[in-house]
Each structure stands twice: as structure tokens, then as C-alpha cells.
Amino acid sequence: MRGYSFPALVGRALRGHRGWPKAWRSAEPERSYDVIVIGAGGHGLATAYYLAKNHGITNVAVLEKGWLGGGNTGRNTQVTRSNYFWPQSAAFFERSLKLYENLSRELNFNVMLSQRGILTLAHSHHEMEALRRWTNAIRINGIDSEVMTPSEIGKLVPLLNLDARFPVHGGFIQRRGGISRHDAVAWGYARAANALGVSIVQQCEVTGFDIADGRVAGVTTSRGSIAAEKVCICVAGHTSVLAAKAGFRVPITSMALQAMVSEPIKPCLDTVVLSPAIHAYVSQSDRGELVLGGGADGYNSYAQRGGIPLLEENLAALIELFPAFSRLRLMRQWAGIVDITPDTTPIMGLTPVKNLYLSGGWGTGGYKAIPAGGETMAHTVAHDAPHPLIADFGLDRFESGALIDEGAASGVAH
Amino acid sequence: MLRIPCPYCGERDEAEFRYGGEVPGSIPQTDVGDQAWADYLFARDNPKGLVHERWCHSHGCGQWFNVVRDTVTHRIHAVYGAGEAPPVVDCSNESQADGGR
Ligand SMILES: Cc1cc2nc3c(=O)[nH]c(=O)nc-3n(C[C@H](O)[C@H](O)[C@H](O)COP(=O)(O)OP(=O)(O)OC[C@H]3O[C@@H](n4cnc5c(N)ncnc54)[C@H](O)[C@@H]3O)c2cc1C
Ligand SMILES: [Zn+2]
């Protein structure tokens, strides 16, 4: 792999940017691999990368039914943070943020991490109290977070309407939180994994599993059968579909989560602002577009397009918070199918089928988890035992009752 | 925008309704063990294609009823009463025609 660097950039620029090598090679499927990873989203690609890098397992194929990064990894709003409530989630998401902080160097690919801070708003006295408790829990977990008063918020985000229909009573900020570039994360992991020998096969849909005596031996695909020692499912919104093909059910509901961008404008918002109560959040991309999102459409969907009622709700809330944005035109609106669990904690680890592993249930917030998700899943696949950081994220928690209720605790969408 | 045919009031916008999720199986006996209970309480079919689901016309008549809907096309194939057996629906695999595999 030719390294990306400033001298390389200057050299190529002088030659008119001709002759850049391909970042990664699209492979044809072979008859067998040591490990098959299903889904070339961030989680699948990162799992393959760490399998090769940390565990020396390089005879790995990532099978993708569409194109690399075309799922939720290329559709999300890029919020990257670790301000979770419960100790298990905090430890996991903080590990992920730490990996993000060094990811551009690790992958030799600029993932454009911008730690511009993520500000969470409270709109009532009671919400503010819950938010103080949340802030304290985060600090006890050793992660940065600060409570902010309305006047401090006013200085940080001058366009924010503090006297909105639901006035801003305060908030808290994680300054190390922010955004990064989702396509770069997918492509960076693909390129680095490919350089270590991982094959990336696109247009190859897994249609079933070859299971004998309760142990997986390979997969059937739209391009023939492929044998494998181990198989890892990383298909986000399609987790239930593949689990059903392997003969088990999962506690997951697939729903459409939408996002949208405005026309580009001059820099006016240099932090991420999120309101759990009115279900809206916004940041400004480097291109100047406002990136907007909210909650998921409230019913099962595999349609990969969002409904208009929810879009209206998101925008109404946002315009109340930022009246100055009301004149902007929307450029694009889209949706991804997210895999939501009852406790909004992911499901990672072993499955009822031997040598078949699952990384799913990422729901509305798995982009920020990609580096740690890949690292811990690779360990789990290599050792046939869950990595300590994800030991509590297994399917068995629904039987033991040890749910990790992040949704109720932190009340966040992302 | 879904247009949902309430069996009591007729077709209305989705904004008038509350979603109740998939129609669950029957409640297990208390002594069947954790696995059966976890399956009943948490596991879902979450099908890509036809789903049997509950809706409540919360901003209308307030009644609960069941709907057979395609989760890829959002087309509603049938509506039936709470507690009734689901009607047989022939959708001739329309979600597959829609690219939904
Ligand atoms: C609008 C939106 C906004 C979001 N915002 C944020 C955010 O701000 N911050 C955050 O942390 N998270 C966010 N998320 C969530 C985040 O995007 C996902 O949790 C994350 O990208 C999941 O990654 P993944 O690799 O598991 O899935 P994906 O990127 O969806 O990859 C799964 C891949 O599997 C493939 N696949 C499916 N079935 C098969 C099959 N049978 N055979 C082969 N391949 C198959 C799919 O084509 C897909 O490419 C958002 C999601 C959406 C939709
Ligand atoms: Zn009605």
C-alpha cells in the first residue's frame, strides 16, 4: 500500500493527480476462507481489519450485497462521542473514541475527526436535574463532560433561541465529542484491511448458511457457495433476516432513520447541538451544509426511505431552536434501516450456532462504535469468546435480565 | 405517509395512530423457563415483507386493531380485529419485485 502523505500529495499534484493507485481492490469470491464477514459497512470492515492486524488472520473475505459503505455507515450523521451512562457502555464507547482520536494515523487515511464538542440541551427544570445526574455519571466513569448554564450556551451557540417554545434551561457538553467523515472511515478500513490481505467482495449477497451439527461451515450467496471456518454477521438493519436464515430469532426491530442536509452556507455553527426532548440535532459540515436528524419513523420498515410526518416534526423542532435556519432549503433527505434493540445496547458476541458470531443491534448510534466494535469483534471471532469489553453485550442478557438500558438512562438518539 | 384504514372510522393519516408493534404469540406458562420468556418478551420476527402488527387509532376512535403490511413497500394488505385470526393474504411476492430480498 502506497502511503498517503503531504509529499505524496504535492508530488501527485504536480503531475496533475494522475496515477493515484486504487485505494482497495474489489475481489472475486473464492471457494473458501478462514473467516467470512457479512456486510461491508464500518463494523464488517473494521472487524476484518483487526482480524488481520491484531490476530494475524488474513484469509478473510468481507461479502457485501451492494457496495462498500452503502448501508448505514454511509448514511449517518457522523456524531462521534462517548458520553454514555452505564459503566459498560461508557468503557466501550470511550475505547472507541480513543481509537478515533488516533484513527487517521492508524489507517493512514484522514477520517477528519473534528472534536468540536457535542452539546445536549435540557428544556425543563426536571430534565436539567436528570442531565446533571447523567453528567456526574459520565465523570465518575472518567469521561469528560461539563454542565452549562443558558448564558454559557448562548455564548457558545449564538444562533440558538434560548426562549423557544420549550426554553433552554441549560445543558451539558462533551468537548471531546464531535463528528468525523463516515465515507473516510469505511474507505480507510477497507484500504488498510485490503493491504493486509483481506478480500472485499461486492455485489455478493449472503442468502443462507451451511450449518451441520449446530456448527457453521460456510454460506450460500448470490454468487455460489463459499466455505468458511467462522462467519461473522455485521448487517445492521438486516440482522433479523440473516439470523432467521441461521435458525434463531433476535430482539431487534428494523426501522427507518432519516437525516437531511440543507444548502451550504457560511460557517455559523461550530459544535453539535442535540435536544433529546424535542428530538432534533444539528451540526454543520465542512462543506457548509447543515446536517439534521431526529428520531426514527415509528414502525417496522425495510424501505430505506423516510416518511414525511417525521421529517416535518424534526424540522419544526429545529426551526424553533434556530429561527435563522427557517429560510434554508433542504438539498437532500434519505434514510437507513436501523436495527433497534429493547435496551438500545448493541448485541455482540456468540450466537446459538457454533462459530457464527453477531455484531448488530447498533440502532441509531453505531457509527461512533466502529473502531471498538471491530476491535472487540475480531478478538471474539479469533478466540471464540467475547472480548471483556463486550462481555455484557451478549444475546444471553435477554434471558438473564441484565439489560443495559441506555435509552432510558441517557435519553439520547445518537 | 401511511394511510391506515381504521375498521371503525375509515382511512386516515398515520399521524392519528399509535404503533403497537408486531402481534405477539400467546403468553407462555409461568414455569416454561427463561429462554421461552425471553423469546416471548424480547425476540421479534421483524420480517422483511409481510408483518402482522397492531395499531391504535389513538386520535380517533381509540380502538386497537391489527394490520397486515409489507415492510418494504408499506402497502397494507389487510386489516382485522384484535384477537381475530389473521386473514390469508396473497401478495404474490410483491416486495421481491421491489428489489426487497
Ligand atoms: C440517518 C442515520 C443517522 C445516523 N447517525 C448516527 C450518528 O450520528 N452517530 C452514530 O454513532 N451512529 C449513527 N447512525 C447509526 C450508524 O450509522 C449505524 O449504527 C452503523 O453505521 C452501523 O454500521 P454497520 O457496519 O453495522 O452497518 P451498515 O453500514 O449498514 O453495513 C451493513 C452492510 O451489510 C450489507 N448486507 C445486508 N444484508 C446482507 C447480505 N445478506 N449479504 C451481504 N451483505 C449484506 C448491507 O448492504 C450493508 O452495506 C445513524 C444511522 C442513520 C441511518
Ligand atoms: Zn378509528
Side-chain angles (χ1 to χ4, degrees):
Chain A
M1 176 172 87
R2 183 96 41 85
Y4 292 158
S5 64
F6 183 65
L9 190 62
V10 173
R12 295 282 172 183
L14 291 175
R15 276 170 281 154
H17 282 298
R18 275 186 295 272
W20 282 105
K22 282 198 170 170
W24 49 274
R25 192 174 49 88
S26 199
E28 292 301 308
E30 284 167 27
R31 302 288 298 277
S32 82
Y33 296 93
D34 292 346
V35 178
I36 285 176
V37 177
I38 310 174
H43 281 282
L45 293 165
T47 300
Y49 169 72
Y50 291 110
L51 272 171
K53 186 183 170 229
N54 294 351
H55 305 281
I57 303 173
T58 57
N59 185 19
V60 176
V62 184
L63 306 182
E64 166 57 48
K65 72 170 175 181
W67 68 96
L68 183 149
N72 294 347
T73 298
R75 292 166 188 268
N76 63 61
T77 45
Q78 321 193 119
V79 173
T80 315
R81 59 176 179 86
S82 65
N83 51 2
Y84 281 66
F85 184 86
W86 295 104
Q88 301 98 315
S89 337
F92 175 81
F93 285 99
E94 177 61 12
R95 171 71 188 155
S96 210
L97 185 55
K98 289 241 167 72
L99 288 171
Y100 259 114
E101 286 172 337
N102 194 41
L103 198 59
S104 295
R105 189 165 300 145
E106 166 86 19
L107 301 178
N108 179 234
F109 204 110
N110 188 357
V111 302
M112 297 167 84
L113 175 67
S114 161
Q115 292 177 293
R116 57 183 65 185
I118 173 155
L119 170 68
T120 305
L121 301 175
H123 301 276
S124 70
H125 178 72
H126 309 285
E127 215 190 327
M128 197 56 219
E129 283 187 347
L131 214 137
R132 269 205 196 90
R133 172 169 175 259
W134 181 9
T135 310
N136 286 335
I138 295 165
R139 291 175 76 116
I140 288 168
N141 287 329
I143 295 166
D144 69 303
S145 71
E146 294 160 41
V147 170
M148 292 184 82
T149 63
S151 72
E152 287 167 339
I153 291 174
K155 281 195 198 100
L156 182 71
V157 192
L159 289 180
L160 189 65
N161 174 16
L162 298 173
D163 304 315
R165 164 81 177 76
F166 298 106
V168 174
H169 278 240
F172 87 94
I173 189 165
Q174 182 184 23
R175 296 198 191 268
R176 286 167 58 243
I179 56 173
S180 49
R181 182 88 193 103
H182 53 203
D183 300 317
V185 171
W187 275 58
Y189 272 116
R191 173 169 167 268
N194 198 195
L196 294 173
V198 169
S199 306
I200 297 162
V201 186
Q202 301 184 101
Q203 306 287 323
C204 180
E205 176 172 1
V206 172
T207 51
F209 294 92
D210 175 8
I211 296 171
D213 298 331
R215 168 189 286 267
V216 75
V219 297
T220 52
T221 77
S222 53
R223 296 169 71 177
S225 299
I226 308 176
E229 291 279 309
K230 296 178 172 184
V231 179
C232 183
I233 304 176
C234 302
V235 296
H238 282 76
T239 304
S240 302
V241 175
L242 279 176
K245 295 196 155 117
F248 61 97
R249 276 164 30 112
V250 285
I252 285 179
T253 303
S254 294
M255 291 180 161
L257 179 66
Q258 20 186 337
M260 55 222 97
V261 294
S262 73
E263 59 188 315
I265 50 173
K266 286 186 177 165
C268 65
L269 180 67
D270 59 0
T271 187
V272 185
V273 180
L274 180 151
S275 166
I278 60 173
H279 253 105
Y281 64 99
V282 57
S283 67
Q284 189 172 21
S285 76
D286 294 332
R287 289 190 293 251
E289 304 154 339
L290 295 172
V291 182
L292 323 168
D297 285 3
Y299 44 86
N300 290 30
S301 173
Y302 284 87
Q304 216 163 242
R305 59 175 187 270
I308 297 298
L310 202 95
L311 182 137
E312 268 192 304
E313 216 173 273
N314 282 186
L315 290 175
L318 192 90
I319 287 169
E320 182 63 23
L321 277 183
F322 290 94
F325 294 166
S326 65
R327 295 305 175 87
L328 292 179
R329 275 162 297 199
L330 281 188
M331 288 223 301
R332 295 188 299 280
Q333 172 261 6
W334 65 91
I337 299 305
V338 293
D339 38 341
I340 297 178
T341 61
D343 57 357
T344 67
T345 290
I347 300 175
M348 302 178 76
L350 314 188
T351 69
V353 180
K354 184 98 187 89
N355 287 4
L356 180 64
Y357 308 89
L358 173 64
S359 167
W362 290 110
T364 60
Y367 168 69
K368 64 181 78 66
I370 286 171
E375 186 187 48
T376 54
M377 267 328 279
H379 175 106
T380 304
V381 172
H383 296 276
D384 190 36
H387 184 285
L389 264 186
I390 59 163
D392 292 340
F393 295 173
L395 256 180
D396 50 359
R397 73 174 183 270
F398 298 96
E399 273 176 48
S400 67
L403 304 189
I404 306 170
D405 202 347
E406 272 302 329
S410 47
V412 288
H414 300 278
Chain B
M1 166 74 74
L2 299 183
R3 299 273 300 169
I4 301 170
C6 171
Y8 309 99
C9 314
E11 190 180 275
R12 301 292 175 86
D13 284 358
E14 81 182 60
E16 293 186 18
F17 296 84
R18 214 194 116 149
Y19 191 52
E22 278 174 42
V23 178
S26 49
I27 300 179
Q29 299 295 310
T30 46
D31 56 357
V32 292
D34 292 344
Q35 202 187 344
W37 270 99
D39 195 62
Y40 171 74
L41 289 173
F42 299 115
R44 299 286 179 268
D45 287 338
N46 192 23
K48 182 170 188 174
L50 292 188
V51 66
H52 295 77
E53 61 192 11
R54 299 185 292 195
W55 286 89
C56 177
H57 194 187
S58 50
H59 295 289
C61 61
Q63 298 286 333
W64 283 94
F65 56 93
N66 298 326
V67 166
V68 185
R69 182 175 58 92
D70 190 309
T71 57
V72 179
T73 62
H74 290 332
R75 187 160 153 211
I76 292 173
H77 288 273
V79 174
Y80 60 103
E84 282 174 16
V88 180
V89 170
D90 174 30
C91 66
S92 32
N93 277 336
E94 81 166 28
S95 61
Q96 264 160 34
D98 202 46
R101 271 170 301 174

